[in-house]
DNA sequence: ATGAAAGCGCTAACAA
DNA sequence: TTGTTAGCGCTTTCAT
């Protein structure tokens, strides 16, 4: 294989336009101090020759690599891919992040990192040394990882943390407390009074926010939350256990909100096993709205996480900072939504009351 | 932002080990002509300093960028991501391709390209100029695109074509004809004699292979295929139309094989609309085995496409070629499998016969 | 507002 | 087997 060189370089453009390399560079980088007529002449040459700057060369001399790294948990991501259960977190990140990158001439590279802390610094340091990314997007459960943020701070690489409100970098959330409130209010409006909540693990900061949202909405409706909270770890098995605890309590809930899809599916399966109908006997709301919850029977009412949009915003923040544009001080909150499907209905007793009335 | 430089460069390593830059370079690239003791000394320095070569610099001087591009159809990919129907093609590509890349120090970058031919050359030429990838993986329907392969040939970039048997680059298939044969034989073994086939669009070469596999298996079983073939374009709507044609024929099939999941789901929905039970009245087999077909009622018997493995093999072929290792001449065929679920059963008449016997 | 020179980190070609 | 030299394509100084 011959040594591969750039077909068209800045040199060709400079020669074609009859200007110096610098002028071309200035045009490429939209720098000031170029007369409009010069700029146009150069841009015409660029278009005519089909010139595209080499990212490698830009990185070599300048400070930009036009690369943004999206860090995802290795174990969980690979497990999701292998199990083919329809989790589409990475796809949604790509949808929002990659397309937004493309708009600005950047590329998004998915990078998997081990949670195990021995590896994490070496791995990330290696990726940084190899790629010299202009920015890094952190996703749960790494958004709060001080080892990671410390490393990035030391390297002067800007980063965005999805699902975090901590200072340092750009914090973005998907409005978790509000989302839980939405789900709770939906059930309250249907007439439910005992609404159980299956929380996620506490190493995800957003788990707490969701509990808070549920608690607040319950309190606002004058409802108690004692004995109505169970914690899982986002896995199917833990969801089943949590649901079991809720259902076995002296006064079981007439509706359950699960903090993610796997735990909601586990709850659905358990309810079916016990001969309980959804939504007639128990209503069920899921977080995430990954593809599969549309295909269960009944399809699940779910909180829609705006993953694509939050990824897009994260990219925009990183690029804006590098471009020297103003960026917000506080966290960016992208609102979540609620999709009502077949798994929520008025509780049994409420229906009886209605029937008695009628 | 300060001009960001490499923290540890080849220079530091050379100084630390007391050798020349070139010797370090040779060790990094596993080149010959380095004494084992030298090599070890250098490797120790590399480990101690935590040195990782800059991909940008490697690309600048050498011929390798350690980047592999995976080309996917823009429109279809974005539609899949947005619709959140569980299509996990990209995930499976990442699972196989990215992890294999990582093993060899490469990175996989997903690149979306427009099918529209005006754009395709400019876009790809731009991506090549910007990234100078060491290899490109083509996926259907671009695997056979002469505009693309011509451009890659001219640039001397090695490429792999998934779902193609054409010469030029590395051809890989997922054993489509055999897969269709498997599905057909499964139905034949259950006692079906009229097995309908919904083909994919003809711009996907693999559509034809699947039809061939079905035809051969039918012929081998002594069964006719007249009036049992309908063509769709992989979309839900086209699947419904095709299923309609099959079911409205004078002698409708007792089993249907659909060339992808969307068309299978459409067939399932149509059958339900017509009050036909799956699998009691009609058996149904899908291609692809994307996540959702496990959650339909009944779950669908499906051909499992080894997307991850074929992506892994594609990456390996590209890397092997660049490393000067031997590569196979012919196409690489990765076998597909069949997962039997609830959508296939003996046909009604066969059951009647059995009942009469019993 | 424009240009010339220096060098980023690394490897290919050549020399020793 | 090892080291030296000359760039790769671009952006940063610093001149003009």
């Amino acid at each position: 294989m011959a040594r591969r060189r750039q077909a068209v370089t800045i040199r060709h453009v400079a020669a074609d336009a009859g200007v110096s390399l610098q002028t071309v560079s200035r045009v490429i980088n939209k720098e000031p101090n170029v007369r409009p007529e010069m700029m146009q002449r150069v841009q015409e040459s660029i278009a005519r020759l089909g010139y595209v700057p080499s990212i490698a060369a830009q990185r070599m001399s300048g400070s930009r690599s036009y690369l943004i790294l999206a860090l995802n948990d290795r174990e969980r991501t690979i497990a999701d891919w292998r199990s083919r259960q329809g989790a589409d977190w990475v796809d949604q990140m790509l949808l929002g992040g990659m397309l937004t990158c493309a708009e600005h001439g950047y590329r998004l590279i998915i990078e998997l990192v081990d949670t195990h802390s021995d590896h994490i610094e070496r791995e990330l340091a290696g990726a940084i040394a190899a790629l010299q990314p202009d920015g890094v997007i952190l996703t749960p459960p790494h958004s709060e990882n001080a080892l990671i943020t410390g490393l990035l701070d030391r390297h002067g690489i800007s980063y965005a943390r999805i699902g975090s409100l901590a200072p340092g970098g750009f914090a973005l959330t998907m409005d978790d407390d509000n989302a839980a409130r939405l789900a709770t209010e939906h059930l309250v409006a249907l007439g439910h009074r005992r609404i159980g909540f299956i929380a996620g693990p506490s190493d995800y900061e957003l788990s707490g926010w969701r509990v808070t949202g549920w608690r607040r909405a319950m309190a606002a409706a004058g409802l108690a939350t004692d004995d109505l909270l169970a914690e899982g770890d986002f896995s199917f098995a833990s969801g089943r256990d949590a649901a079991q605890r809720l259902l076995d309590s002296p006064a079981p809930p007439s509706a359950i909100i699960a903090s993610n899809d796997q735990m909601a599916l586990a709850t659905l399966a358990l309810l079916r096993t016990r001969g309980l109908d959804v939504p007639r006997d128990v209503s069920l709301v899921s977080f995430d709205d990954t593809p599969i919850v549309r295909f269960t029977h009944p399809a699940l009412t779910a909180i829609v996480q705006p993953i694509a949009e939050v990824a897009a915003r994260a990219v925009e923040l990183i690029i804006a900072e590098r471009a020297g544009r103003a960026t917000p001080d506080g966290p960016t909150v992208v609102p979540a939504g609620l999709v009502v499907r077949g798994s929520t209905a008025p509780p049994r007793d409420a229906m009886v009351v209605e029937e008695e009335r009628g």
Side-chain angles (χ1 to χ4, degrees), chain A:
Chain A
M1 179 71 52
R3 177 192 175 85
R4 196 152 22 81
R5 327 159 96 97
Q6 208 75 339
V8 181
T9 72
I10 196 172
R11 216 178 284 276
H12 298 105
V13 177
D16 185 84
V19 298
S20 72
L21 302 183
Q22 290 3 290
T23 304
V24 179
S25 177
R26 285 181 183 117
V27 171
I28 296 167
N29 297 295
K30 301 189 181 71
E31 279 169 23
N33 296 339
V34 182
R35 280 192 323 227
E37 57 203 83
M38 277 262 108
M39 193 166 116
Q40 175 156 1
R41 211 164 84 203
V42 171
Q43 276 168 337
E44 274 165 11
S45 292
I46 288 175
R48 177 170 41 244
L49 301 176
Y51 167 72
V52 176
S54 153
I55 284 192
Q58 289 186 124
R59 158 66 199 103
M60 280 300 290
S61 46
S63 51
R64 284 188 300 274
S65 66
Y66 295 98
L67 257 28
I68 291 178
L69 241 50
L71 259 44
N72 284 274
D73 186 59
R74 166 172 285 130
E75 215 171 323
R76 170 173 291 271
T77 303
I78 292 179
D80 281 348
W81 286 342
R82 276 204 221 286
S83 70
R84 304 193 73 174
Q85 295 283 303
D88 63 346
W89 171 274
V90 171
D91 300 73
Q92 296 301 308
M93 291 270 304
L94 288 172
L95 174 57
M98 172 186 292
L99 296 188
T100 306
C101 275
E103 284 171 18
H104 299 270
Y106 280 70
R107 312 267 163 179
L108 188 73
I109 298 187
I110 300 286
E111 188 82 14
L112 304 182
V113 296
D114 269 322
T115 309
H116 194 45
S117 53
D118 297 10
H119 302 355
I120 209 163
E121 277 198 278
R122 267 198 302 107
E123 282 184 358
L124 184 54
I128 288 173
L131 298 171
Q132 294 276 335
D134 286 346
V136 174
I137 299 177
L138 306 180
T139 61
H142 299 308
S143 306
E144 302 269 326
N145 190 315
L147 254 45
I148 296 179
T149 55
L151 189 66
L152 294 173
D153 283 331
R154 261 176 280 139
H155 282 263
I157 296 174
S158 62
Y159 55 92
R161 0 168 76 159
I162 293 180
S164 172
L165 288 173
F170 300 108
L172 301 99
T173 80
M174 296 192 262
D175 204 19
D176 295 85
D177 50 349
N178 222 5
R181 186 182 56 69
L182 265 180
T184 310
E185 285 175 353
H186 165 62
L187 292 167
V188 168
L190 286 171
H192 291 274
R193 313 204 42 86
R194 293 194 57 76
I195 301 169
F197 195 90
I198 301 179
S202 52
D203 54 324
Y204 284 67
E205 212 193 354
L206 50 80
S207 295
W209 302 334
R210 292 176 185 178
V211 172
T212 302
W214 163 71
R215 278 231 167 84
R216 287 216 184 109
M218 291 294 274
L223 302 173
T225 53
D226 314 323
D227 293 356
L228 286 171
L229 178 65
E231 185 177 320
D233 64 6
F234 285 152
S235 72
F236 189 91
S238 78
R240 198 193 45 230
D241 294 349
Q244 216 143 29
R245 265 173 275 144
L246 289 178
L247 294 171
D248 289 342
S249 81
S254 66
I256 294 177
I257 302 171
S259 284
N260 80 333
D261 280 345
Q262 283 300 314
M263 299 197 295
L265 292 175
T267 304
L268 182 65
L270 179 69
L271 289 167
R272 186 168 295 151
T273 303
R274 295 193 170 196
L276 293 168
D277 183 76
V278 174
R280 200 164 42 85
D281 301 314
V282 179
S283 282
L284 183 58
V285 179
S286 172
F287 257 84
D288 288 1
D289 192 41
T290 53
I292 42 173
V293 305
R294 301 145 194 240
F295 295 91
T296 55
H297 287 264
L300 303 188
T301 293
I303 290 296
V304 183
Q305 306 252 87
I307 303 165
E309 194 186 339
V310 88
R313 302 287 293 273
V315 166
E316 279 168 1
L317 288 169
I318 288 170
I319 293 177
E321 178 172 78
R322 300 228 100 230
R325 292 202 301 275
T327 51
D329 284 334
T332 299
V333 178
V334 181
L338 175 77
V339 174
V340 177
R341 297 204 182 89
S343 67
T344 48
R348 283 200 102 162
D349 49 359
M351 291 176 77
V352 171
V353 169
E354 275 175 38
E355 276 164 22
E356 281 170 354
R357 273 196 204 126

